[in-house]
Amino acid sequence: MVSAFEKLAQPVQKWVRSQAWHELRQIQAEAVHAISDSDADLIVSAPTAGGKTEAAFLPLISQVLDDPADIGGFDLLYVGPLKALITDQTMRLEELCRKAELPVYPWHGDIATSVKSRAVKKPKGLLLITPESLEAMFVRRGLEMQRLFGATRAVVIDELHTMLDSERGVQMRSLLTRLELAVKRPIRRVGLSATLGDMQMACAYLRPDNPDAVRLIEAKGEAELLLQLRGYVAGSDDENTPSATDAVATHLFENLRGSDNLVFAGARKWVEVYADRLRDFCEKAHLPQEFYPHHASLSREHRDFVEKRLKDGNLPTTAVCTSTLELGIDIGDVACVAQVGAPFSVAALRQRLGRSGRREGQPAILRQYVVETQLDSQSSFVDQLRLGLVRAVAMIELLLEGWCEPPRPEALHLSTLVHQVLSVIAERGGVHANGLYHVLCQDGPFRQVDTETFVSVLRALGRPDTGLIEQSSDGLLLLGAQGEKLVEHYSFYAVFKTPVEFRLVADGKELGTLPIDNLLTPGMLLIFSGRRWVVQEIHDLEKIILVKPAKAGVPPIFGGDPGTIHDRVVEKMFAMLETNIEPTYMDQTALSLLGEARRNFARLDFASTPVAQGDTGSHIVATRCGTVKTNTLALALGAMGFQVTQHDGFLRVDDSEAETPLTEVLHNFASGDTVDLFRHSPNLIFEKFHGHLTTPLLEQDALSGRVDLASLQTTCGALTS
DNA sequence: GACCTGCTGCGGTCTG
């Protein structure tokens, strides 16, 4: 049998030898065989730094060398979700490609026009691009796509899990379909990821027309995991005990100092709070600074500085971060991953943990910190049931079981559909409605959209007051004046929304940005970028805030979206509330908090009834399901006149103003009664192009993803049985 | 009750 190594082209073999690798890794050898022996699509699933990039490119480049294309065009395409990742991968692939005498072109917003024009002039070798830049190519060079990609044999999609059911993922899959239609043949798809929750679903996303033919290559063997969950109690009356924040920061300071670590603090505000506290500890101890904040509102310059310090590995560095450091560039090995507060998904926890313990024989270390509030007679049931702690435990239990959230497949994604309608018209200059339906909904990713809905979307875009599209006398769909304007602006290419922000400037240097709804006035104190400031001037027109250093500060307020918790996480939370098992990874405080939660859960009698008496004029409903179903019930009760607030697997229902008793309403829903969920006109505009749609379409879009009408009867059935 | 991601073409000025 021919070995994997022997199947590689000469220059590629030479490069492998120059790496002084002992041998090809298992996934690399398997990928070489899979790619050389068939045309099959492929998913390579292995931890970060597991050699996935090489697994894909060693055999793909070998094919290009052994069987060169007789026409021009890029030989291979790589799509990555981050600019930094493209820059990183370009450097990794450059030496290999130099040996193979193939050019490598990185292509994203920060790449010089000269590099791009060189690539377009003589397309060949590898093109590494973001979904947005590929979108721009379709819009700006629609008629050149055949010339540019006519020779392309494969597209490698990095961090595939970020490209599944997200708006951006739908966009990317639409672009891949459009690419295949432009070159009039299929192009092999290779997906790379460390965190796929459901392999069968991932295959269906990668190649919807033939998911069974997608080859799966998975790295076996998980790294050993060292795990601790520490509990803290905030709001203690004893003035001699430090605040919970100080206690967590002290533990981080004492245990992380001197090595490279990532601390995921959950929100930008908490990143600033902990980074400020840790900087203070360093200063008081006369130690050099080694704790730095890292989140999306900080200046690129500062973030580069922190990433470089982590990557270099010379000076000990701990980044206190949001999900900015969850995926992407290789920052080297970190000693430990800390998570402050419960995460929002097991998938995120798993991806974060993948940053630690990657060196052979090194265990991964996860330190989970949870802060709960001291209980008193006024405490809400959320505190009494310690829902933050219980969620953190549930997430860890599911992580240990090897589970993580699968993608949700059935959403319509009408905002992104609007975007793709405009983009295809721009690409081709004009298109007939049935052709458009074919590209996007039959061949493309919008398969949940039926012809009726599609026509409604086109009608909405063609309304005279919107003016996005119009129809010529021969039926061809064209861009209207507003559509032209939208598509011509560079802000069109991304399908996700971005908020308006102020720039924060100190001494002529930009520190970062703050959301515009921050009510700042001169003289106010601020913690930002890990330091303390006082606001000097605010320039509304230029959207600039000038600050200077100060001795004190308060953490800034950033906006945020409500998170979505999966049903299975909530089920596990209830399971943890209903058992007496004491996980060995929890410290004494965490265990006593969990005990408290269990006693209160029993006292509220949730074991025998799903509806408990809350504070005055209210009830607590244990829905036992995740955000989507719980939200659906909340909307339904809201439509019946109840005031409802939602928590993980619970609703607090104020029934003082309702006409029908709560239990009766739940019974009616259980027996199939329905209600107009949108009776009180809730906000339905969540995504970038939602504003162009009609209310019925927005309701339909919501019902396909954010709300699950069918669950209402089953949820209430379980509540009343 | 949260986080993240991305961006063209052109006209202007400056430098070697």
Side-chain angles (χ1 to χ4, degrees), chain A residues 138-190:
Chain A
F138 273 103
V139 172
R140 305 261 164 194
R141 311 168 189 273
L143 302 175
E144 290 179 76
M145 294 310 269
Q146 161 68 30
R147 181 180 75 82
L148 294 172
F149 296 98
T152 305
R153 332 172 156 236
V155 47
V156 176
I157 304 139
D158 208 355
E159 306 285 6
L160 181 68
H161 61 280
T162 66
M163 295 289 172
L164 299 179
D165 59 343
S166 64
E167 292 298 303
R168 213 172 169 209
V170 174
Q171 173 192 29
M172 199 212 56
R173 289 184 296 118
S174 180
L175 294 175
L176 293 186
T177 313
R178 289 167 61 188
L179 196 64
E180 292 184 345
L181 290 170
V183 301
K184 302 184 184 71
R185 63 181 171 82
I187 299 174
R188 188 208 294 265
R189 299 178 186 178
V190 182

Side-chain angles (χ1 to χ4, degrees), chain A residues 104-116:
Chain A
V104 185
Y105 296 108
W107 186 304
H108 57 66
D110 297 345
I111 298 296
T113 323
S114 56
V115 176
K116 292 180 179 171

Side-chain angles (χ1 to χ4, degrees), chain A residues 515-643:
Chain A
I516 205 146
D517 44 5
N518 251 283
L519 296 171
L520 291 177
T521 49
M524 279 175 76
L525 297 168
L526 192 66
I527 296 176
F528 195 85
S529 202
R531 281 165 290 162
R532 298 168 177 193
W533 311 93
V534 57
V535 176
Q536 285 185 291
E537 296 168 32
I538 299 174
H539 299 272
D540 284 310
L541 221 59
E542 298 89 342
K543 297 202 182 68
I544 290 179
I545 300 169
L546 299 179
V547 297
K548 66 172 188 186
K551 287 269 180 279
V554 291
I557 299 160
F558 296 95
D561 309 317
T564 305
I565 307 290
H566 194 274
D567 286 338
R568 178 106 185 247
V569 173
V570 175
E571 280 165 29
K572 184 58 88 179
M573 286 175 65
F574 278 84
M576 292 315 293
L577 284 165
E578 286 171 331
T579 169
N580 283 318
I581 293 169
E582 300 200 326
T584 52
Y585 51 79
M586 296 174 75
D587 78 342
Q588 271 313 312
T589 311
L591 281 175
S592 80
L593 286 167
L594 184 60
E596 224 173 2
R598 286 168 174 170
R599 282 192 298 281
N600 288 326
F601 187 81
R603 183 175 51 76
L604 288 162
D605 204 20
F606 281 122
S608 52
T609 168
V611 182
Q613 187 67 48
D615 44 26
T616 341
S618 80
H619 284 95
I620 306 158
V621 180
T623 67
R624 294 180 182 252
C625 16
T627 312
V628 172
K629 290 176 186 166
T630 302
N631 260 343
T632 306
L633 179 55
L635 261 181
L637 291 173
M640 297 297 292
F642 295 92
Q643 298 283 322

Side-chain angles (χ1 to χ4, degrees), chain A residues 289-459:
Chain A
Q289 198 45 244
E290 59 174 278
F291 297 92
Y292 296 95
H294 192 286
H295 57 72
S297 297
L298 295 175
S299 70
R300 191 65 250 172
E301 195 189 358
H302 171 83
R303 290 169 63 177
D304 283 344
F305 160 76
V306 179
E307 288 164 28
K308 198 160 176 293
R309 254 189 82 128
L310 274 168
K311 199 170 175 168
D312 286 353
N314 299 324
L315 294 165
T317 304
T318 293
V320 185
C321 58
T322 55
S323 53
T324 39
L325 291 177
E326 186 173 298
L327 59 84
I329 63 150
D330 191 352
I331 48 170
D333 211 7
V334 300
C336 124
V337 169
Q339 170 76 40
V340 185
F344 282 89
S345 75
V346 182
L349 188 60
R350 192 156 120 182
Q351 184 77 23
R352 290 169 187 184
L353 202 53
R355 291 293 194 167
S356 153
R358 304 177 328 186
R359 215 172 294 152
E360 203 80 23
Q362 289 279 333
I365 299 176
L366 173 64
R367 297 177 186 277
Q368 169 76 60
Y369 297 83
V370 177
V371 176
E372 287 287 345
T373 310
Q374 176 98 17
L375 297 183
D376 58 34
S377 57
Q378 303 292 307
S379 292
S380 77
F381 78 94
V382 178
D383 286 332
Q384 290 183 42
L385 295 176
R386 304 301 191 198
L387 289 187
L389 172 92
V390 173
R391 191 170 92 210
V393 176
M395 295 276 179
I396 289 174
E397 290 292 317
L398 291 168
L399 176 85
L400 295 174
E401 286 175 21
W403 179 87
C404 75
E405 291 81 359
R408 277 179 61 94
E410 63 274 22
L412 291 172
H413 296 289
L414 294 187
S415 167
T416 307
L417 179 62
V418 169
H419 181 259
Q420 287 299 293
V421 164
L422 298 176
S423 175
V424 173
I425 297 176
E427 173 198 346
R428 305 188 182 185
V431 61
H432 286 281
N434 55 357
L436 197 53
Y437 183 75
H438 206 279
V439 174
L440 298 175
C441 306
Q442 281 182 293
D443 291 344
F446 301 97
R447 299 183 181 205
Q448 308 291 327
V449 178
D450 57 29
T451 47
E452 194 191 333
T453 307
F454 188 72
V455 169
S456 303
V457 169
L458 292 185
R459 288 222 177 92

Side-chain angles (χ1 to χ4, degrees), chain A residues 127-143:
Chain A
L127 179 71
L128 288 77
I129 197 166
T130 59
E132 287 74 17
S133 284
L134 188 57
E135 181 78 59
M137 278 192 163
F138 273 103
V139 172
R140 305 261 164 194
R141 311 168 189 273
L143 302 175

Side-chain angles (χ1 to χ4, degrees), chain A residues 5 21 83 85 92 95 145 152 171 203 222 230 257 273 297 310 475 506 542 576 589 606 616 643 656 658 696:
Chain A
F5 182 79
W21 289 352
K83 290 187 288 191
L85 197 56
R92 259 173 92 176
E95 199 197 313
M145 294 310 269
T152 305
Q171 173 192 29
C203 293
E222 295 269 307
R230 301 179 62 86
R257 208 156 51 79
V273 168
S297 297
L310 274 168
E542 298 89 342
M576 292 315 293
T589 311
F606 281 122
T616 341
Q643 298 283 322
S656 53

